[in-house]
């Protein structure tokens, strides 16, 4: 059944039951080998306005419905990945939105996207703590219950680390544990009052290359305008699921 058919024929009242079914499917496969365990860590700090947060989430919702993403999942060695979606902000602000979910086919991907689409992005204050977002993501990867060939954190941010621990030691811990950190670097600015000074798009992208991304095949993807969200998120997921990236210095 095509993704379009699922969207047309899925009764509204059946969503809850299908979401329950996908949770049960995840439990059934816990402990099995998978190609990838992926934490999507979405920035919802105060520097992100409501429209940007919605476009960010909608970009992931749409991406997991794309045939190329679904095909990439099925083309792996084991033909399955596990994904969790979290929101983050300051040093005390991390929130799990969708728990670990096993994706192996079109139905799984659509159920994940439907569950994510039910969320209303929150606002997590106290600055931008990339270090704590990475630490929280790493703890989720260590406790996923799966046996993945690759461990990846997909972190988005529109600013540098401004609170909490320094990024460098946390980054080293993740790399030492075999994890890869990829970044969605958002230089499109929202219209709310920003708690922190803005960097130029070039300076922000350079910061993420130097200080944040790392591990096997690590890469960063820019979002320069609101219109870039869908394509950047789609291309980033496709590269992560397929295991294609660029090597970042593993310091």
């Amino acid at each position: 059944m095509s993704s379009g058919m699922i969207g047309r024929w899925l009764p509204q009242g059946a969503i809850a039951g299908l979401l329950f079914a996908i949770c049960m499917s995840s439990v059934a496969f816990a402990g099995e080998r998978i190609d990838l365990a992926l934490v999507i860590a979405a920035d919802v700090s105060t520097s992100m306005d409501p429209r940007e947060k919605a476009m960010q989430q909608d970009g992931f919702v749409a991406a997991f419905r794309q045939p190329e993403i679904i095909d990439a999942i099925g083309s792996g060695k084991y033909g399955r990945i596990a994904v969790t979606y979290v929101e983050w902000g300051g040093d005390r602000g991390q929130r799990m939105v969708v728990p670990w979910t096993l994706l192996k086919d079109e139905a799984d991907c659509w159920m994940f996207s439907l569950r994510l689409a039910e969320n209303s992005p929150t606002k997590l204050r106290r600055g931008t703590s990339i270090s704590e977002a990475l630490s929280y993501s790493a703890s989720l990867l260590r406790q996923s219950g799966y046996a993945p060939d690759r461990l990846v954190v997909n972190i988005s941010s529109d600013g540098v680390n401004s609170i909490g621990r320094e990024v460098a030691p946390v980054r080293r811990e993740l790399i030492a544990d075999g994890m890869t950190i990829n970044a969605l670097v958002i230089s499109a600015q929202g219209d709310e009052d920003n708690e922190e000074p803005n960097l130029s798009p070039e300076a922000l992208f350079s910061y993420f290359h130097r200080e944040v991304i790392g591990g096997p095949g690590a890469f960063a993807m820019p979002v320069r305008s609101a219109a870039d969200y869908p394509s950047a998120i789609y291309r980033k997921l496709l590269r992560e699921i397929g295991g294609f990236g660029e090597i970042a210095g593993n310091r």
Side-chain angles (χ1 to χ4, degrees), residues 2-240:
S2 71
S3 58
M5 290 179 68
I6 292 176
R8 288 196 301 270
W9 293 108
L10 184 66
Q12 188 68 29
I15 293 177
L18 288 169
L19 293 178
F20 174 77
I22 194 172
C23 291
M24 294 307 295
S25 173
S26 299
V27 172
F29 281 93
E32 291 198 9
R33 297 304 302 266
I34 60 175
D35 296 297
L36 168 69
L38 174 65
V39 177
I40 300 172
D43 184 358
V44 294
S45 60
T46 50
S47 58
M48 294 279 287
D49 71 24
R51 180 170 172 266
E52 285 185 307
K53 294 173 189 178
M55 292 187 72
Q56 176 180 227
Q57 180 173 294
D58 290 347
F60 284 104
V61 168
F64 279 102
R65 299 178 181 182
Q66 296 300 315
E68 295 83 1
I69 298 289
I70 297 166
D71 289 345
I73 292 171
S75 298
K77 179 179 178 182
Y78 302 106
R80 59 176 72 97
I81 69 172
V83 182
T84 182
Y85 189 99
V86 303
E87 295 178 336
W88 66 274
D91 57 339
R92 301 176 190 171
Q94 301 91 33
R95 184 175 80 97
M96 179 179 287
V97 175
V98 182
W100 283 114
T101 304
L102 190 75
L103 307 182
K104 60 186 184 300
D105 55 28
E106 183 181 26
D108 290 338
C109 291
W110 268 77
M111 292 308 101
F112 178 85
S113 73
L114 285 168
R115 191 168 189 179
L116 179 56
E118 291 183 330
N119 179 60
S120 296
T122 189
K123 177 189 288 187
L124 296 175
R125 299 183 179 274
R126 291 179 57 85
T128 298
S129 186
I130 295 170
S131 58
E132 297 308 325
L134 291 178
S135 180
Y136 180 75
S137 298
S139 69
L140 294 178
L141 286 170
R142 296 183 185 108
Q143 300 168 23
S144 73
Y146 296 99
D149 278 6
R150 292 184 294 122
L151 302 158
V152 175
V153 178
N154 173 333
I155 187 168
S156 68
S157 181
D158 69 345
V160 301
N161 195 69
S162 65
I163 194 169
R165 291 175 289 173
E166 294 184 359
V167 174
V170 178
R171 178 181 182 271
R172 285 195 295 267
E173 288 176 10
L174 269 68
I175 293 172
D177 283 349
M179 300 175 188
T180 294
I181 307 162
N182 298 327
L184 191 70
V185 184
I186 302 169
S187 55
Q189 295 300 323
D191 57 13
E192 285 195 354
D193 291 336
N194 197 338
E195 296 176 339
E196 302 143 26
N198 293 330
L199 295 180
S200 69
E202 295 75 16
L204 187 61
F205 198 74
S206 177
Y207 169 81
F208 274 84
H209 261 278
R210 293 192 321 269
E211 307 294 339
V212 180
I213 68 171
F219 67 94
M221 187 81 70
V223 176
R224 297 186 177 91
S225 69
D228 285 346
Y229 274 104
S231 62
I233 289 170
Y234 164 79
R235 288 183 287 116
K236 187 168 188 292
L237 279 175
L238 199 59
R239 288 175 69 174
E240 285 170 332

